[in-house]
Amino acid sequence: MRDLRLAIRAGGGFGLGLAFFLIVVVLVPFGVGPEREVLARIAPGILWVAALLAALLSLDRLFALDWEDGSLPLLATAPLPLEGVALAKAGAHWVTTGLPLTLAAPALGVLLNLPGPAFGPLTLSLALGTPALSAIGAFGAALTVGLRRGGLLLSLLVLPLYVPVLIFGAEAARRAAEGLPYATPVLMLAGLALGSLALMPFAAAVALRVNLR
Amino acid sequence: MLDVRGLAVARGGVPVLEGVSFRLSAGAALVLRGPNGIGKTTLLRTIAGLQPALAGEVEAEAETLAYASHRDGIKATLTVAENLAFWAEVYGRTVPDDVWEAFDLHDLRDRMGGTLSAGQTRRLGLARLGVIGRRVLLLDEPTVSLDAASVRRFAGWLAERHLGAGGVAVIATHIDLGLDAPELDLTPYRADPHTATGGSDEAFL
Amino acid sequence: MSIWEYANPKKFNETTAPLVPWLFGAACLCLVVGLVWGFFGTPDAERFESTVKIIYLHVPSAMMAINAWAMMLVASLIWLIRRHHVSALAARAAAPVGLTMTLIALLTGAIWGQPMWGTWWAWDPRLTSFLILFLFYLGYMALWEAIDDPDTAADLTSVLCMVGSVFAILSRYAVNFWNQGLHQGASLSLDAEENVADVFWVPLLVCIAGFVLLFLALVLMRTRTEIAARRIRALEARARAVEARA
């Protein structure tokens, strides 16, 4: 909790991910044309991909600030377990990125002519999926924390790991948009999110310890 | 309080020091000496548990060690008071009132961490040690970028408040802090590249 | 005498030095026999015509693409648990080979898919899974390249390999869920006769043996190269240490 507050204050770039999300969503109609039917068809997928990229954008700052100012070895020798630090960092990333994205998604759904029945499931799938994105991202950020040009590598490492989350998340929204039952992908997504939150902090802490050596 | 026996340490997989032993009882300090690159930082990091030792043992009471590196871990977007409060919280404590006086931070309380000068940042980083309440301090060049008056102030705090209260300190430094402490020259402990064991490259030689 | 003796780089080098040429020879023999037999010695299948013959490249490379990752996972675990350098280096050595196998499987799949399905690429679950596997290989290799310290790199890539394996399996299920595909089911299983007639099956087995041998030969050769590079690094580090001491 205390780390959360600090990370929010120190994180900066609170609105950056959100602005990026908005811009991507605005650019899509320029690319594919303004036909409402086409946009309605691709809206769930576009919103999910854009949210995923926006979440990715701020990942490389997750541990980098603590690495640069020397807090990380101090935190590693503090009585807090490093796993807890990693979880708190992922939580802070979610509060500053995933949560705003989730809240903004319905508004941007209007821009893309997202079908009415899909608004609720889209928001729900983002609410479930973005914590998983943050937790997986924390692991990627921990792997690349000491590297000079870690940002690009981080994307290469993290994006393949995001595939299942993206598939189940976008699938839930897409099925809802087409009036199909969407409980299965939502449940799978919830499972993924819980699994990631439970296990990724441990993997991230292992990677941090190795990097601090 | 701190017992180091036959410690061998490596930097980047290459053994740098071997057979380092010392023992500090309550109130004692030890100053590490030796030329640049001898492995002072590596030794302190190993004692702190940040990296594994090649050989030997470090014995200290649980949850007593604190390590302070060249860098202070000061958040630019938090005020001085908030920075200290954060570290106090991490260690489950509150900021004691005497810290402001001891490290001359009264006037800086509400300044942002990012606006401090190098010396002021360092003072704040050292004040962290006064906040976290750890009894075994491992200090790596604590006086870098401090002016003479601040060095004296810090040495005074270390001698009276820390060592005087039964604490222990291992200090790697090139300047004379004016402490009544024995010095340990690390030069004789330099690992012999031909005989040193335990390096990660060893199997390949 | 324990198997771990071979984890010593010197012992490993001594043992594998005579093996590599034999492995290469056997791989070449199997591949030549299997491919010639497969291409020219089998009749054209009714439904597929002659295009079916690309399975002699496609199936073995696809199998090795997955098996290489499995081998990397085992080697990574051995490194994390027992800290044998050769194990970590073998995992590193296997990655580009696995990547190439994945690429061959994808390319031959595309070449086969064009006449069969009328398209070079379809977002079929199997194809998609292999594309994701390809990305995993890329990321794994990029992480190895990015980190200077060999032990740190070995640790981090091992953790990535473990986490990646879990997510690769998850991706496989997710992709199946996402799109029911065009791809036929596995054409090779224990009851293979039901799927593929013997005339096709025997040369296919020879080709698979050839690919396995080729994989082993390449991984051993690359591991020996990695060991040599580490040895150079170690000798240089010692020379620097001696210099600093003098």
Side-chain angles (χ1 to χ4, degrees), chain C residues 208-229:
Chain C
I208 290 173
F211 265 82
V212 171
L213 289 168
L214 182 66
F215 173 77
L216 285 178
L218 286 171
V219 169
L220 282 186
M221 190 184 74
R222 289 186 47 81
T223 307
R224 290 164 55 81
T225 314
E226 297 288 348
I227 288 173

Side-chain angles (χ1 to χ4, degrees), chain C residues 7 32 40 46 64 102 129 134 156 174 192 204 241:
Chain C
V32 169
F40 303 109
E46 269 172 47
M64 290 319 294
T102 314
S129 302
F134 184 75
L156 293 181
L204 183 57

Side-chain angles (χ1 to χ4, degrees), chain B:
Chain B
M1 283 204 53
L2 178 66
D3 195 2
V4 173
R5 286 189 298 268
L7 202 63
V9 302
R11 182 176 50 217
V14 180
V16 287
L17 293 171
E18 55 189 356
V20 179
S21 300
F22 57 83
R23 179 192 196 91
L24 295 177
S25 48
L30 181 72
V31 175
L32 300 177
R33 299 275 186 198
N36 287 332
I38 183 97
K40 295 189 288 290
T41 298
T42 311
L43 180 63
L44 288 175
R45 286 174 56 89
T46 308
I47 296 173
L50 283 168
Q51 58 184 77
L54 296 181
E57 285 170 64
V58 176
E59 205 177 295
E61 277 171 55
E63 307 256 300
T64 53
L65 291 169
Y67 167 71
S69 72
H70 306 286
R71 290 176 300 177
D72 301 292
I74 299 306
K75 294 287 167 216
T77 48
L78 297 183
T79 66
V80 169
E82 284 169 331
N83 265 303
L84 284 184
F86 166 72
W87 285 111
E89 252 183 283
V90 168
Y91 283 80
R93 300 169 58 90
T94 52
V95 180
D97 289 331
D98 60 355
V99 161
W100 307 106
E101 176 62 35
F103 294 92
D104 192 21
L105 291 170
H106 262 304
D107 304 335
L108 302 175
R109 274 182 97 122
D110 297 320
R111 284 267 292 279
M112 285 306 213
T115 65
L116 299 179
S117 76
Q120 288 168 332
T121 309
R122 187 84 261 217
R123 283 210 317 262
L124 177 53
L126 294 173
R128 187 185 74 89
L129 299 169
V131 162
I132 61 178
R134 286 289 161 113
R135 295 174 66 202
V136 180
L137 299 183
L138 307 165
L139 307 174
D140 192 359
E141 302 286 0
T143 55
V144 168
S145 53
L146 288 186
D147 58 26
S150 300
V151 170
R152 275 196 305 280
R153 195 182 273 271
F154 171 65
W157 173 83
L158 198 60
E160 286 167 32
R161 303 281 176 81
H162 183 68
L163 301 176
V168 161
V170 182
I171 310 156
T173 182
H174 291 287
I175 66 158
D176 184 14
L177 284 174
L179 288 176
D180 177 25
E183 294 188 357
L184 181 69
D185 187 359
L186 290 177
T187 316
Y189 298 101
R190 204 197 294 253
D192 183 342
H194 293 291
T195 58
T197 56
S200 73
D201 286 341
E202 185 181 295
F204 293 92
L205 289 167

Side-chain angles (χ1 to χ4, degrees), chain C residues 132-153:
Chain C
I132 296 168
L133 184 63
F134 184 75
L135 296 177
F136 273 109
Y137 274 119
L138 277 185
Y140 177 86
M141 286 165 60
L143 190 62
W144 260 112
E145 292 305 318
I147 302 167
D148 294 330
D149 184 79
D151 281 6
T152 307

Side-chain angles (χ1 to χ4, degrees), chain C residues 109-224:
Chain C
I111 293 168
W112 193 9
Q114 215 289 324
M116 292 319 308
W117 305 327
T119 173
W120 294 102
W121 180 261
W123 288 94
D124 162 90
R126 287 203 167 206
L127 273 65
T128 312
S129 302
F130 267 78
L131 196 60
I132 296 168
L133 184 63
F134 184 75
L135 296 177
F136 273 109
Y137 274 119
L138 277 185
Y140 177 86
M141 286 165 60
L143 190 62
W144 260 112
E145 292 305 318
I147 302 167
D148 294 330
D149 184 79
D151 281 6
T152 307
D155 280 335
L156 293 181
T157 52
S158 295
V159 176
L160 177 68
C161 186
M162 287 168 59
V163 173
S165 302
V166 174
F167 276 84
I169 293 167
L170 285 175
S171 300
R172 180 87 183 89
Y173 283 104
V175 166
N176 267 334
F177 176 82
W178 165 74
N179 190 358
Q180 271 51 346
L182 302 162
H183 202 290
Q184 57 193 298
S187 47
L188 193 76
S189 57
L190 287 176
D191 48 31
E193 290 92 326
E194 288 172 25
N195 294 315
V196 184
D198 274 353
V199 267
F200 300 111
W201 197 46
V202 179
L204 183 57
L205 280 186
V206 177
C207 281
I208 290 173
F211 265 82
V212 171
L213 289 168
L214 182 66
F215 173 77
L216 285 178
L218 286 171
V219 169
L220 282 186
M221 190 184 74
R222 289 186 47 81
T223 307
R224 290 164 55 81

